[in-house]
Amino acid sequence: VQLQASGGGLVQAGGSLRLSCAASGRTDSHSVMGWFRQAPGKEREFVAGITRSGGVTNYADSAEDRFTISRDNAKNTVYLQMNSLKIEDTAVYYCVAGSSIMVIRSRPDYWGQGTQVTVSS
């Protein structure tokens, strides 16, 4: 499975960004997708995950109510809409894939390259 993330950039606090991640390869067995992030000097942390059907989503507390994960299976793409961004959301965001939400949260099977999100004051 190959994951290609895009959409990062520089935004002011309170603004919005939408990240995209296009998946290719043998995605059927690793169809749950999600996002992690890593802030400077911190460990990578789970942000959000979504099942293949889109019927189940899961968020970290820090993302709940501000971020929305969605997917378009026709395009094999998952999105992360980030609103009301805070300075502490500054991080490299990674697209991930796995076989279940539990796997996504703890130990994703596949990682994409990161995309930088920088939130300024």
Side-chain angles (χ1 to χ4, degrees):
V1 175
Q2 292 79 46
L3 304 170
Q4 182 71 39
S6 61
L10 175 65
V11 64
Q12 285 191 324
S16 299
L17 275 178
R18 188 177 81 156
L19 305 182
S20 300
C21 175
S24 59
R26 303 185 68 175
T27 58
D28 284 354
S29 60
H30 298 83
S31 58
V32 179
M33 296 180 70
W35 296 89
F36 266 65
R37 69 185 183 185
Q38 186 168 23
K42 296 188 177 181
E43 294 185 353
R44 289 183 182 181
E45 63 176 1
F46 170 78
V47 176
I50 186 168
T51 56
R52 180 182 179 85
S53 69
V56 176
T57 58
N58 191 257
Y59 295 92
D61 289 345
S62 59
E64 194 80 61
D65 298 328
R66 298 188 299 124
F67 294 1
T68 301
I69 190 169
S70 61
R71 65 190 296 163
D72 182 341
N73 288 335
K75 297 180 179 179
N76 275 343
T77 299
V78 66
Y79 304 97
L80 184 68
Q81 178 67 44
M82 304 185 293
N83 298 327
S84 301
L85 282 161
K86 304 176 181 179
I87 293 175
E88 52 263 42
D89 293 318
T90 295
V92 177
Y93 284 71
Y94 297 90
C95 180
V96 296
S99 56
S100 70
I101 288 287
M102 184 177 297
V103 167
I104 285 292
R105 285 190 65 98
S106 59
R107 198 178 178 89
D109 296 312
Y110 295 95
W111 293 78
Q113 96 292 354
T115 186
Q116 177 71 47
V117 172
T118 302
V119 184
S120 64
S121 59

